[in-house]
Amino acid sequence: MRLPEHDSTDSLSASPDSAATLGPAGVSNGAGPSNGLKKGLATNGATALAGNGAAVAKRGKLVARVDLQGKPLYSGSYVDREEYIRLVVQSLRDAGYEESATTLESESGYAMETPDVSDFRQFVMEGSWTKAESVLTRLVGSGDEAGLWDARFLICQQKYLELLEAKKVSAALNVLRNEIRPMGLEPERLHLLSSYLMCEHPDDLRERAQWDGTLGTSRQRLLAEIHRFVPSSLMIPPQRIVSLLEQSRSWQQSRCLYHNSPAYSLGYSLYTDHQCDKDAFPSVNTLKLQAHSDEVWGVAWSHDGRYLASASKDQTAIIWMIGPQSDPNLRDVRPHHILRDHPFPVSCIAWSLDDSVLLTGSEAQIRLWNTRTGLCIRLLEEHSETVTSLEWLPDGSGFVSGGLDRQIIRWDAAGGKIDSWDEAAVRVTDLAVTPDCRRLVVVGLIGVPPLEPSRDGRTVSGSGGGNMTLEDLVDQHKMIVYDLITQEEEMTLSLEGDLSSVKISSDCQFALINHAPNEIHLYDLISGRLTRKFTGQQQGHHIIRSCFGGVDGNFVVSGSEDGKVYLWHRDTGALLEVLPGHGPGSVNAVAWNPTRERMFASCSDDCMVYVWEPPPPPRIEELSQEDVKGKGKTRQLWEGDGVASSSRIH
C-alpha cells in the first residue's frame, strides 16, 4: 500500500538547488540544508514525505521519494514491487533495523501496514481489548462474518483467561456471561471455559487451559491466530521472508538426491542453491567385521551410535564397539561381547532405549542381555514358534514380540508379560511401533502352520498334507495396523507377494515393506495407499530387511540376493547407488547409524558385517575370528587397487 501524499504546503521540502542527485536506487548522494525543515516538525528519525521525487530531510540527510514505473520489481519479473518492498520493510524491522525500514518506506512510498493494523498490534500487546475489537471490524471486513466471529472469540477468550489469571473472578465471569455466552458456543466448549473458574491457582489455570499466561507468549500467539482472518495484503504474516526462504530451502532439499545434512547446518547459504556433495555419501565399506562363522541375519545400532549388534545363524549375537569417527586410521573396533548360549540361530535383535539391554530372538526363545556385562538377564519362553520380530517401545516402557505362532506379546522393560493380542490374523514375519507409540504395524502371511518351502521353491507343504503352489497364496499376505493401546485393528491391507519386513518413518506416516518378488513398497498409513515402489534389488525367497536412512530418513536402503546393497531416494524413487563388496549369497539386513548420518551397516550370508561410509577412507579395518580369541586386532591399509596389506597389532 502507498503512503499518503502530502500537499506542498504541508510537506517538508528542500530547495531544488540544494537537493542532491539520486542514484539508481533513489538514495540521495548528499545532504541538504537543515533549515529546510518547517517549524514544529520532529526530526527524530520519522520520515515525512514531500511528494513524488522531492527530497526529505532525515537526520540531516536527504531522502527522496522514488517513483519507478511498472508493477514488476524487474523487467520480466513476476515479483510485485509493492509486495516485495513491504516484505523487505517487515524483514528490516524484524532484524532490528528500524530506521532503515522507515527510510525505505519513505523512499518507496509503500507502507508496511496501515495505521489500523499498527494500532491493532499495539492494542493486543498492551491488552487494550475494547480498542482492539473496535479496529478488528475494519480489518476483517463485514463480508466475512464467520472470520469476524472467530477473531472476536479469540480476543474474548484471551481477555477471560487474563482476568482469571489476575484473580479478577467477577470481571472474568462478566466476560463469560455477557460476551462469550451470547456468541452461541457449543455447550461442551462453554462448559470447558466455565470449568476454569474453579482453578484456585494461576498455575492450575495455565496447565488446564494449555496457555502460558499474560507474561508468556499468549498475546503474540493470539496475533498469529488472528492473522488467519485478516487479508494478508493488510496484515502481513509474521516473518514472511523467512518463511519464503524456508520454503525455498525445503524445495532445494527435495531436489537434492544426495541430501544428507542437518536442516540448520552452517553449510546452507543464501548465495547459492543447495546441493549436497555426492562424495559425502556413504558408499565405501570402511570396516569389515568378521567374527561370525555362519550367515549373519540381522544388524542393529545402539541408540548412541557407538555399538553395533549382529545376529547370526551360528547361534551367537555379537556386540561390536565402533570407535569415534575422528580418526578412522586409529579407530578402535572390536567385539565388545559375544552372546552365546543360544541353542538355535539368532533371528532378530533389538536395543533398549537406554542401550542397557539387548534382546535376542532364537527360535521360540527371547533372551535379555546386559550390554555392559554381556550376561543373560532373563529367558522368556511364551512363544510356541519362531520369534520373528522384537521391537522396543519408543517411550522405553517395554517391548513387543511377534512370531510365526500368530502371537503378539507386550512385555515390560524387565521382561514381565503385560498382555498379548488375541490370535493375530497372520503369522507375523515382522512388526514395528510408530515413534509416537500409538500404532503397531504388522506384516505376515495367512498360512496353515507349519509352512515350509519345498526344495524346488515352487510349493509349500502344510500340516494337513498335500502341496499348494505359491500362486495359491496370492492375497494371503497382509499388513495390519493396530491401535497399540486398545489392540483394535485400524487398517488391514491384503497384499500379493511375501512380506518380510516393515519399518516406520520418523514422522509416523509411512511404512516401508520388503515385498517379494524384487520390490520394496512405501505405504501411507493415513490413507492406506501405496505411495511408491523401489525396484532393482533381488528378493525371491529370502528374508531381507530394509530401512530408512539419512538425517531426515530420505533414503531407502536394502540388501539383495545378488550380494549387493541398494540405495534409493525416498521421495523420487530414484536408484542412487548399487554397492558391491559382499561375497556370495544374500545381503540380509541393513541398519543406518542413528547419530552418524553418513554411516550404515549391512550383513550377509558371507558371514561378514560391513560398515559403509563416504569415500575415500584411508584404511579399512578388519576383525577376524582369530582376533576374537584375544590375539589382537588386524588393521588393513586401503590400496587404490583394492588390495589390502595387513599389519598385526599385539
Side-chain angles (χ1 to χ4, degrees):
M1 62 193 68
R2 280 199 172 274
L3 289 170
E5 302 283 355
H6 291 276
D7 294 334
S8 59
T9 57
D10 296 327
S11 62
L12 300 180
S13 62
S15 164
D17 295 334
S18 63
T21 304
L22 296 179
V27 179
S28 172
N29 295 325
S34 59
N35 59 6
L37 289 174
K38 282 198 170 187
K39 183 178 180 181
L41 292 177
T43 60
N44 62 355
T47 305
L49 302 179
N52 290 343
V56 179
K58 179 175 176 60
R59 292 191 180 275
K61 298 182 180 180
L62 291 178
V63 177
R65 171 80 163 270
V66 179
D67 192 7
L68 300 177
Q69 299 298 315
K71 287 179 64 65
L73 184 61
Y74 308 115
S75 176
S77 171
Y78 68 89
V79 178
D80 183 275
R81 180 185 304 279
E82 178 180 346
E83 291 184 357
Y84 175 79
I85 295 299
R86 292 176 65 199
L87 291 182
V88 171
V89 172
Q90 182 197 50
S91 184
L92 287 171
R93 289 209 166 104
D94 288 343
Y97 300 108
E98 180 63 40
E99 186 174 348
S100 297
T102 304
T103 301
L104 180 56
E105 282 185 316
S106 303
E107 189 177 13
S108 66
Y110 297 124
M112 188 188 93
E113 54 191 26
T114 65
D116 275 348
V117 174
S118 299
D119 290 344
F120 182 74
R121 291 184 189 277
Q122 179 181 346
F123 296 152
V124 168
M125 292 308 297
E126 65 187 19
S128 300
W129 306 118
T130 302
K131 294 179 180 179
E133 287 187 71
S134 67
V135 177
L136 183 64
T137 303
R138 297 196 294 274
L139 296 181
V140 176
S142 58
D144 185 6
E145 292 295 335
L148 184 60
W149 185 96
D150 286 334
R152 278 178 172 165
F153 169 74
L154 291 173
I155 290 177
C156 290
Q157 179 179 249
Q158 178 77 15
K159 176 166 52 172
Y160 171 68
L161 292 174
E162 289 192 8
L163 289 170
L164 285 178
E165 183 185 42
K167 296 186 176 181
K168 298 179 180 179
V169 179
S170 297
L173 185 58
N174 184 61
V175 170
L176 184 64
R177 287 175 174 173
N178 300 324
E179 297 183 41
I180 296 179
R181 186 175 181 179
M183 300 180 81
L185 287 179
E186 302 91 337
E188 296 81 6
R189 201 170 184 183
L190 187 62
H191 178 73
L192 178 62
L193 290 174
S194 301
S195 68
Y196 298 154
L197 290 165
M198 307 302 295
C199 295
E200 298 182 357
H201 193 277
D203 288 341
D204 298 333
L205 171 68
R206 289 188 286 267
E207 182 177 353
R208 288 192 58 187
Q210 297 182 348
W211 176 74
D212 67 354
T214 306
L215 298 179
T217 61
S218 62
R219 290 179 178 176
Q220 290 94 323
R221 291 168 62 187
L222 173 63
L223 277 173
E225 285 289 309
I226 291 177
H227 262 101
R228 296 184 293 130
F229 310 112
V230 179
S232 57
S233 59
L234 287 179
M235 195 173 184
I236 301 173
Q239 299 182 336
R240 180 58 183 161
I241 279 187
V242 174
S243 297
L244 292 173
L245 293 175
E246 285 294 317
Q247 293 171 26
S248 172
R249 179 184 62 82
S250 297
W251 182 84
Q252 290 178 31
Q253 283 183 8
S254 68
R255 304 282 293 181
C256 175
L257 293 179
Y258 288 89
H259 174 69
N260 191 29
S261 55
Y264 297 100
S265 71
L266 298 178
Y268 285 98
S269 171
L270 298 180
Y271 299 132
T272 59
D273 288 346
H274 169 73
Q275 191 67 39
C276 285
D277 186 357
K278 180 180 176 180
D279 289 340
F281 194 76
S283 58
V284 171
N285 54 296
T286 57
L287 296 174
K288 295 181 179 180
L289 310 181
Q290 183 179 0
H292 287 291
S293 60
D294 209 333
E295 299 172 1
V296 187
W297 290 348
V299 283
W301 290 98
S302 61
H303 292 85
D304 63 9
R306 297 172 54 209
Y307 296 91
L308 177 67
S310 57
S312 174
K313 186 180 178 181
D314 66 7
Q315 302 179 16
T316 69
I318 297 178
I319 298 176
W320 304 85
M321 188 184 79
I322 310 296
Q325 203 171 352
S326 56
D327 189 351
N329 292 331
L330 302 176
R331 181 162 50 192
D332 189 13
V333 181
R334 65 178 186 272
H336 185 58
H337 293 297
I338 300 181
L339 311 181
R340 308 183 192 276
D341 301 331
H342 299 95
F344 307 102
V346 181
S347 56
C348 51
I349 48 180
W351 290 86
S352 64
L353 197 64
D354 61 1
D355 295 328
S356 65
V357 175
L358 183 73
L359 303 174
T360 60
S362 176
E363 284 297 321
Q365 299 177 346
I366 300 171
R367 282 175 169 79
L368 285 73
W369 301 85
N370 184 313
T371 59
R372 294 177 177 83
T373 65
L375 299 177
C376 183
I377 305 170
R378 192 166 182 179
L379 172 64
L380 309 177
E381 297 184 287
E382 289 289 329
H383 285 277
S384 60
E385 288 191 58
T386 301
V387 176
T388 56
S389 184
L390 296 166
E391 180 90 354
W392 280 89
L393 299 175
D395 60 5
S397 62
F399 60 94
V400 180
S401 64
L404 294 180
D405 57 1
R406 301 177 184 267
Q407 285 200 78
I408 300 172
I409 303 175
R410 183 166 177 172
W411 313 80
D412 63 27
K417 182 177 179 180
I418 297 176
D419 57 23
S420 62
W421 270 243
D422 293 334
E423 185 175 281
V426 293
R427 288 160 56 81
V428 178
T429 54
D430 200 11
L431 56 77
V433 179
T434 56
D436 60 9
C437 223
R438 291 183 53 248
R439 307 165 97 185
L440 176 71
V441 183
V442 175
V443 294
L445 67 155
I446 307 173
V448 180
L451 290 177
E452 298 177 355
S454 64
R455 291 183 180 180
D456 62 7
R458 293 293 300 165
T459 61
V460 291
S461 59
S463 59
N467 292 326
M468 65 177 76
T469 66
L470 289 179
E471 284 76 8
D472 293 331
L473 293 179
V474 170
D475 292 329
Q476 297 289 305
H477 305 265
K478 287 187 176 183
M479 177 183 77
I480 305 174
V481 181
Y482 292 97
D483 183 295
L484 187 60
I485 304 301
T486 66
Q487 302 180 7
E488 295 179 356
E489 292 186 18
E490 292 186 358
M491 180 190 307
T492 300
L493 297 179
S494 295
L495 307 172
E496 296 183 7
D498 294 331
L499 311 178
S500 63
S501 77
V502 58
K503 290 291 187 293
I504 308 299
S505 61
S506 59
D507 61 4
C508 305
Q509 184 174 355
F510 297 103
L512 185 71
I513 297 176
N514 272 75
H515 183 284
N518 307 334
E519 291 181 348
I520 299 171
H521 291 181
L522 187 69
Y523 282 92
D524 189 321
L525 294 177
I526 297 175
S527 66
R529 294 181 178 178
L530 176 63
T531 300
R532 192 161 289 107
K533 292 182 180 181
F534 305 93
T535 59
Q537 93 291 2
Q538 296 178 21
Q539 181 180 3
H541 307 290
H542 293 181
I543 292 177
I544 293 178
R545 302 186 188 278
S546 59
C547 72
F548 293 102
V551 171
D552 301 318
N554 51 325
F555 303 119
V556 170
V557 193
S558 180
S560 174
E561 291 182 6
D562 61 5
K564 297 181 177 67
V565 177
Y566 290 72
L567 297 98
W568 299 264
H569 188 257
R570 190 186 83 176
D571 292 338
T572 65
L575 179 61
L576 302 179
E577 300 286 342
V578 179
L579 307 178
H582 277 287
S586 293
V587 176
N588 299 308
V590 290
W592 204 282
N593 192 302
T595 62
R596 306 180 194 179
E597 65 270 12
R598 295 183 175 91
M599 176 186 284
F600 72 92
S602 61
C603 63
S604 170
D605 287 350
D606 64 2
C607 312
M608 301 285 287
V609 176
Y610 279 8
V611 174
W612 303 82
E613 295 178 270
R619 287 188 167 192
I620 286 185
E621 300 177 8
E622 178 171 344
L623 297 183
S624 67
Q625 282 251 58
E626 198 174 32
D627 298 323
V628 176
K629 300 174 183 177
K631 293 186 178 180
K633 199 175 351 181
T634 300
R635 299 183 182 272
Q636 292 194 330
L637 294 173
W638 178 260
E639 302 288 339
D641 59 0
V643 179
S645 61
S646 63
S647 60
R648 178 73 64 185
I649 299 177
H650 295 281

